[in-house]
Amino acid sequence: MAKNYDKEQVLEAVKNSAGVMEYVAQRLKCDWATARKYVRKWEETKEAFAVSECKLHTLAYQSFHKAISNGERWAVERLLDTSARRN
């Protein structure tokens, strides 16, 4: 049986999802495709999901920067490797 979710339910599921659709699906108790359908249904839910996803990327960049600042070899090598490819 198909479930119907309202915008508020979807917004609550998106909250703190880190832009991971599987987390939204788990919170709504539905499959991934249904979660995606509802996230894309309203402009407000699309924007909330994008903001959540952006927060995750920001955290990843901060962690990477911290690793470089701490002189972690893997991070320094990764930075130099990707920088060399751009030039």
Side-chain angles (χ1 to χ4, degrees):
M1 176 179 222
K3 294 183 179 180
N4 290 313
Y5 302 100
D6 64 35
K7 183 170 35 173
E8 294 309 314
Q9 289 173 301
V10 178
L11 283 171
E12 188 60 33
V14 166
K15 191 181 197 179
N16 299 318
S17 68
V20 178
M21 195 62 72
E22 186 60 33
Y23 293 163
V24 177
Q26 288 171 2
R27 291 175 180 156
L28 292 174
K29 295 179 174 59
C30 67
D31 63 40
W32 187 93
T34 300
R36 183 177 69 166
K37 177 182 113 177
Y38 277 93
V39 165
R40 292 179 172 181
K41 186 172 182 175
W42 299 283
E43 203 55 45
E44 192 175 352
T45 54
K46 282 193 282 190
E47 185 176 320
F49 187 79
V51 167
S52 186
E53 190 175 36
C54 185
K55 287 179 184 177
L56 178 65
H57 289 170
T58 299
L59 179 61
Y61 287 125
Q62 289 170 340
S63 296
F64 185 62
H65 183 266
K66 184 177 179 182
I68 292 168
S69 296
N70 290 337
E72 294 185 37
R73 184 181 176 129
W74 69 267
V76 173
E77 288 175 350
R78 177 72 176 158
L79 176 66
L80 293 174
D81 182 50
T82 56
S83 296
R85 287 187 207 164
R86 284 186 231 162
N87 294 326

